[in-house]
C-alpha cells in the first residue's frame, strides 16, 4: 500500500514535536452486500474505502488524524496534524527504521471478489424459497449476503511493520411469521473469516429453514416468566453471556481507570471452578480471528480465567506500555478513521464434563435458552443484560413450551459464581459485532451447554 | 452552487439513455477530544468525504459508494453501481425522486463560530467538565469519560430526474459518564449538553446531571417483582419512541414488518400522546431542509391524540403504497442508499411539570436508563423487555434507588397505557426529543 521509505519519513515527521511514539495504520477495504426482501433482490451494493490513520503519543496524550490520501504529501499532512494534537513542547529529530514485515499466510480459498455477482445473488433466492417452503405462516423473508476484504498495514516508531489480509463472509436470514397472536420473528446468521468457501460447508437452505422454524414456533409462545430462575443455555448459543458478564470488564482500559468490578483481582477466585475463559484471535476461521491486530501485534490466545481464577486482562499497545508489559494482541479498530482500543476477539468458555441432557433433567423449573440476541454491560457495576430470541420453559426436567422474546439480566461477578453445570459439548456460536464507544468490530463467542443457578428473567407472566 | 453539489450534478449528468443516476456527496470535519486526570487523553481531528451513487436501469437498482471524491474513484463507483443494478430483481416501484413542488423551510443550521472555535478552547471546556464532575461530590470515584465532540458537515444530492439540493450543519457537544461509590457499591450516571454553537453548550449542566444520576442510585437494592406504573425520563422516552417510529415507516409497512400496518385511522395509543416528526423545527438537532433524496422536509404527524394518522415514506415506499413521499428519506451517510425514516421525532409536551407528573403517579418506578434496547425489544412482535435502573416513586417522590431490575410489556400495550405526558421537552443529539412519560401496568422483574 505504501513504500517502506515513505512510512519511515512519515513516522519521523510525526515525532517532530516531541512525541514518544508514532504509528501509521493504513487500510484498504472493499465489500459487497446484497439483500433480498419480499421475494426481490432489492439491491446489490459495493463499496471501497482506503486511507490511513496516524497516531502520535506524547506522555498521556494521544493525537490522531486520518486521511484518505495515501500519497506522501497526504500522509505528511496527517502526521503533522496528529503531532500538533499531541504537542507537548520539546521536539527534535528521530530516525525510524522499520523491521521486516511478517507475511500473512493466506488462508482464504476463494476470494469473494473472484466470485461472479450472480452467484452471490442466487444464494439469496435459494434461501427465500427454502424459508417460504417451511410453513404457510411465513409472511416475510429477508436474506442478506455480505463479504468484506480488509488489507491493513501497521508500522510504528518501535520498528514494527506488519500487514494482514482479512477476508470475512457472512449470510443471514430473518423471517416474519403471522398467527392468531400477531407477528413473530426468527433469525439465523452464519459467518467466518474465510472467503466464498463458507458455502462449501454451510447450506443456505438449512439456514433459511432454521430461521423460519424459529419464527413459526414462537407463534405458539407464551409470555416468559418474571423473576429469578435457573437458566440453561444451549451449546453455542450463549457465549455472549461471558462476553458481557465478564469479557468487557477484563479489558485493560476499564481496569487501568479502575472502572471494572474485576480490577485488582488477578490471582483471585472470581468464578465457579467450572469456568475457564479464553480469548483467542488465532482460532482459524472464527469470526473474530486475525493474524495481526490493528496495532501490528500478532493475534494471540489468552487465558483470562483458569478454573475460576482470574489470570490476566486483555491489553492493547497503549495500555500495555503504561504497565511496562507486552500487548496481548487485543488492539482493534473499526476503520482507519478510528483510534484502536482494547477489544475482544473470539471469547469462549472451555467445555466441561457434564452431560448436556442431564443438565436439563436436573433442572426442576427454569428457562432453556436456545438463541441469545445481543447484550450490554455496565463494566463499573457489572450489571449486564442480554436478549433471548429462542427460549423454552423447563418443567420437571423437561423442555416444554416456547417463550416469547425476553430479556435476561444479571451481575457479572455474581453470575460467574452461580454457574453450577458445564457440559462437554463445546461449540462456537453465530458471528457478532461488538460495539464499544461507537466502534463495531467482528467478534466470535462460544460455550458448551451450561446452567446458571439464578438469573433474572424479564418476562411479563403474572 | 457548492463544490459538493457541483460534483453531484456532474455525476448525475453522466446518466445514459433509459437510466436514472443519483449522487449523494457528504463531507465533514470532526473533532473529538477525551480528557482524563486534567490532561488530554486523545485528540483527533480529521476531514472525511465520500460519495454514494444509485443507478436505476430497467426497473432495477444498484448502489455503490467510495470514501473518496477523487475523480477516478467517482467514475469507477458509478460504473460499479451500474454493474450492480444488473443483478437486482426488476421492481416496478423502483425509481428516483422527482421534484414535488414543496417549498423548503428557510433554516440556517450552520454556525461559523463553531468552525472558528479554537481547539484550545474545546480542550479547556472538556477539562472544565471533568474538573466540575470530580469536585461536585466526594462520592464521585471516577470519571469514565469526559469529552468534547463537534462536527461541521455538508451534504449534496443531485439526480438525473431533476433533484438538486444541498445543506450544511454544525453540531457540538460535551458528554460525561461518571462512577460514584459508597462502600462496596458503585453506580454510574451520564450527562451531556449539545448545541449548534459552542455558546449553547452547558458544561455545568452536563456535570450536574451526571453526578446527580450516579449518586442518587447509591444504596440501590433489587426490589421484588410486581406490575407497576413506570415513569420514563426524557432520554428513555426518546429511545422508546424511536423504536415505535421504526414501525411506522413505509418500508416496514409494505413488507409486513409493522405491527401497525392495518391500523391507520385507529387508536393505537392513549389519547394523551401526539407524536410528530418535524425536521423543519430549527430547535431540533435532527432538523434538515432537505431529505436524503433532495425533497423538502415537512412536518408529519404520526400519531395525533392517540390515533395513527400516517406513516413516513421515501419515494420507493410511497410508490409501493400508492401515495407520495413525505420527504422522509434518510440515510446513514454516503455508505448506504436512502430509506424511509424519521429525523426529528418529538412527542407534543403535556401539561405536567416533572414534579407534578411524579405526584400524579403517586407510586411507581422512575427509569433513568435502560440497557439492552437493541436486543430486548422486538419491533415486529412488539415484545419489550429491557434492563432498567432508577428510583421507586413513593407518595409522588422518587426516593428509593433500585438496580438489576427488568421492565417488560409490549409496545402495543405501552402506547395504550400512557397515562401522563410531561411538559419537560428535552432536545437530544440523537435526532429525537423526549419528555417524561408515565406508563401504567408494566411488569418489573427483580427478586
Amino acid at each position: 500500500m505504501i513504500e517502506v521509505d515513505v512510512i519511515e519519513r512519515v513516522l519521523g515527521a510525526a515525532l517532530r514535536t516531541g512525541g514518544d511514539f508514532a504509528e501509521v495504520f493504513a487500510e484498504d477495504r472493499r465489500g459487497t452486500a446484497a439483500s433480498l426482501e419480499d421475494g426481490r433482490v432489492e439491491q446489490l451494493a459495493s463499496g471501497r474505502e482506503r486511507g490511513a490513520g496516524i497516531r502520535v503519543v506524547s506522555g498521556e496524550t494521544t493525537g490522531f488524524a486520518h486521511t484518505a490520501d495515501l500519497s506522501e504529501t497526504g500522509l505528511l499532512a496527517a502526521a503533522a496534524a496528529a503531532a500538533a494534537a499531541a504537542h507537548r513542547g520539546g521536539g527534535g529529530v528521530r530516525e525510524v527504521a522499520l523491521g521486516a514485515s511478517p507475511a500473512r499466510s493466506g488462508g482464504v480459498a476463494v476470494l469473494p471478489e473472484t466470485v461472479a455477482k450472480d452467484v452471490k445473488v442466487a444464494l439469496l433466492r435459494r434461501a427465500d424459497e427454502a424459508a417460504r417452503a417451511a410453513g404457510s405462516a411465513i409472511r416475510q423473508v429477508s436474506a442478506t449476503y455480505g463479504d468484506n476484504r480488509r488489507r491493513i498495514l501497521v508500522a510504528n516508531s518501535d520498528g514494527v511493520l506488519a500487514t494482514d489480509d482479512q477476508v470475512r463472509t457472512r449470510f443471514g436470514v430473518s423471517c416474519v411469521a403471522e398467527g392468531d397472536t400477531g407477528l413473530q420473528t426468527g433469525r439465523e446468521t452464519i459467518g467466518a473469516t474465510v472467503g466464498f468457501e463458507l458455502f462449501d460447508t454451510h447450506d443456505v437452505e438449512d439456514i433459511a429453514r432454521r430461521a423460519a422454524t424459529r419464527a413459526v414456533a414462537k407463534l405458539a409462545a407464551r409470555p416468559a416468566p418474571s423473576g429469578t430462575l435457573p437458566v440453561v443455555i444451549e451449546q453455542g448459543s450463549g457465549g455472549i453471556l461471558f462476553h458481557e458478564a465478564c469479557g468487557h470488564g477484563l479489558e485493560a482500559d476499564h481496569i487501568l481507570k479502575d472502572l471494572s468490578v474485576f480490577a485488582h483481582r488477578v490471582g483471585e477466585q472470581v468464578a465457579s471452578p467450572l469456568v475457564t475463559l479464553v480469548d483467542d484471535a488465532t482460532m482459524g476461521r472464527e469470526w473474530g480471528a486475525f493474524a495481526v491486530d490493528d496495532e501490528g501485534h500478532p493475534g494471540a490466545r489468552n487465558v483470562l480465567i483458569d478454573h475460576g481464577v482470574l489470570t490476566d486482562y486483555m491489553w492493547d499497545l497503549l495500555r500495555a506500555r503504561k504497565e511496562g508489559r507486552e500487548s496481548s494482541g487485543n488492539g482493534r479498530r473499526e476503520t482507519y478513521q478510528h483510534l484502536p482500543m482494547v477489544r475482544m476477539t473470539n471469547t469462549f468458555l472451555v467445555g466441561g464434563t457434564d452431560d448436556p441432557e442431564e443438565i436439563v433433567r436436573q433442572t426442576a423449573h427454569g428457562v432453556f435458552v436456545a438463541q441469545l440476541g445481543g447484550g450490554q454491560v455496565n463494566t463499573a457495576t457489572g450489571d449486564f443484560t442480554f436478549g433471548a430470541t429462542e427460549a423454552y420453559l423447563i418443567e420437571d426436567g423437561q423442555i416444554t413450551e416456547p417463550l416469547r422474546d425476553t430479556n435476561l439480566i444479571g451481575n457479572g461477578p455474581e453470575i460467574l459464581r452461580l454457574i453450577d453445570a458445564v457440559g462437554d459439548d463445546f461449540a462456537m456460536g453465530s458471528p457478532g459485532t461488538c460495539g464499544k464507544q461507537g466502534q463495531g468490530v467482528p467478534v466470535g463467542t462460544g460455550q458448551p451447554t451450561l446452567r446458571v443457578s439464578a438469573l433474572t428473567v424479564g418476562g411479563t407472566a403474572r | 452552487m457548492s463544490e459538493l453539489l457541483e460534483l453531484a450534478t456532474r455525476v448525475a449528468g453522466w446518466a445514459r439513455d433509459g437510466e436514472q443516476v443519483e449522487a449523494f456527496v457528504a463531507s465533514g470535519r470532526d473533532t473529538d477530544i477525551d480528557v482524563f486526570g486534567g490532561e488530554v487523553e486523545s485528540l483527533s481531528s480529521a476531514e472525511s468525504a465520500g460519495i454514494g451513487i444509485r443507478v436505476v436501469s430497467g426497473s432495477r437498482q444498484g448502489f455503490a459508494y467510495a470514501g473518496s471524491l477523487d475523480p477516478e474513484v467517482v467514475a469507477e463507483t458509478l460504473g460499479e453501481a451500474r454493474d450492480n443494478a444488473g443483478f437486482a430483481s426488476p421492481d416496478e416501484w423502483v425509481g428516483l425522486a422527482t421534484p414535488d413542488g414543496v417549498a423548503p423551510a428557510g433554516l440556517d443550521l450552520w454556525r461559523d463560530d463553531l468552525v472558528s472555535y479554537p481547539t484550545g478552547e474545546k480542550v479547556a471546556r472538556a477539562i472544565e467538565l471533568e474538573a466540575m464532575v470530580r469536585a461536585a461530590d466526594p462520592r464521585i470515584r471516577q470519571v469514565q469519560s469526559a469529552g468534547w465532540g463537534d462536527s461541521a458537515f455538508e451534504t449534496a444530492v443531485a439526480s438525473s430526474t431533476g433533484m438538486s439540493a444541498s445543506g450544511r450543519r454544525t453540531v457540538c457537544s460535551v458528554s460525561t459518564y461518571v462512577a460514584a461509590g459508597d462502600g462496596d457499591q458503585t453506580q454510574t450516571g451520564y450527562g451531556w449538553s449539545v448545541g449548534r454553537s459552542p455558546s449553547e453548550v452547558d458544561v455545568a449542566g452536563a456535570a450536574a446531571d451526571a453526578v446527580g444520576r450516579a449518586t442518587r442510585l447509591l444504596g440501590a437494592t433489587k426490589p421484588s417483582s410486581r406490575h407497576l406504573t413506570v415513569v420514563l425520563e426524557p432520554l428513555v422516552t426518546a429511545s422508546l419512541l424511536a423504536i415505535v417510529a421504526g414501525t411506522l415507516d413505509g418500508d416496514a409497512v409494505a413488507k409486513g414488518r409493522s405491527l401497525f400496518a392495518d391500523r391507520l385511522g385507529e387508536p393505537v395509543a392513549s389519547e394523551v400522546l401526539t407524536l410528530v416528526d418535524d425536521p423543519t423545527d430549527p430547535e431540533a438537532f435532527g432538523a434538515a431542509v432537505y431529505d436524503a433524496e433532495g425533497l423538502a422536509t415537512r412536518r408529519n404527524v404520526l400519531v395525533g391524540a392517540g390515533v395513527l394518522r400516517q406513516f413516513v415514506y421515501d419515494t420507493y415506499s410511497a410508490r409501493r403504497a400508492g401515495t407520495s413521499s413525505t420527504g422522509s428519506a434518510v440515510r446513514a451517510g454516503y455508505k448506504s442508499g436512502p430509506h424511509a425514516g424519521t429525523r426529528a421525532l418529538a412527542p407534543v409536551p403535556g401539561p405536567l411539570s416533572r414534579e407534578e407528573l411524579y405526584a400524579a403517579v403517586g407510586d411507581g418506578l422512575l427509569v433513568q436508563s435502560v440497557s439492552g434496547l437493541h436486543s430486548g425489544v422486538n419491533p415486529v412482535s412488539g415484545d419489550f423487555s429491557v434492563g432498567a435502573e432508577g428510583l421507586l416513586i413513593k407518595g409522588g417522590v422518587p426516593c428509593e434507588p433500585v438496580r438489576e431490575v427488568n421492565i417488560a410489556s409490549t409496545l402495543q400495550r405501552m402506547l395504550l397505557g400512557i397515562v401522563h405526558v410531561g411538559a419537560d421537552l428535552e432536545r437530544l443529539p440523537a435526532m429525537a426529543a423526549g419528555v417524561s412519560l408515565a406508563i401504567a401496568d408494566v411488569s418489573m422483574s427483580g427478586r
Side-chain angles (χ1 to χ4, degrees), chain A residues 38 42-43 117 378 456, chain B residues 61 83-84 222 255 320:
Chain A
D38 218 19
E42 291 196 312
Q43 184 168 276
K117 289 173 181 171
N378 179 334
T456 302
Chain B
Q61 174 172 302
D83 186 51
N84 288 345
K222 189 168 178 165
K255 291 168 185 167
R320 271 190 78 156

Side-chain angles (χ1 to χ4, degrees), chain B residues 106-188:
Chain B
L107 301 179
D108 183 10
L109 307 172
W110 181 270
R111 300 287 180 273
D112 281 327
D113 63 352
L114 175 62
V115 181
S116 58
Y117 199 54
T119 305
E121 291 292 315
K122 299 174 186 177
V123 168
R125 302 286 292 274
I127 288 176
E128 184 191 7
L129 173 65
E130 190 202 5
M132 281 178 153
V133 166
R134 289 191 189 274
D137 191 300
R139 293 171 296 172
I140 295 300
R141 282 199 176 146
Q142 192 56 286
V143 180
Q144 185 153 357
S145 68
W148 168 280
D150 66 57
S151 177
F153 61 100
E154 185 182 350
T155 58
V157 59
S159 76
S160 61
T161 54
M163 302 305 299
S164 174
S166 65
R168 54 180 200 162
R169 284 195 271 165
T170 54
V171 64
C172 53
S173 62
V174 290
S175 61
T176 184
Y177 191 58
V178 312
D182 196 3
D184 283 347
Q185 200 177 74
T186 298
Q187 292 292 346
T188 57

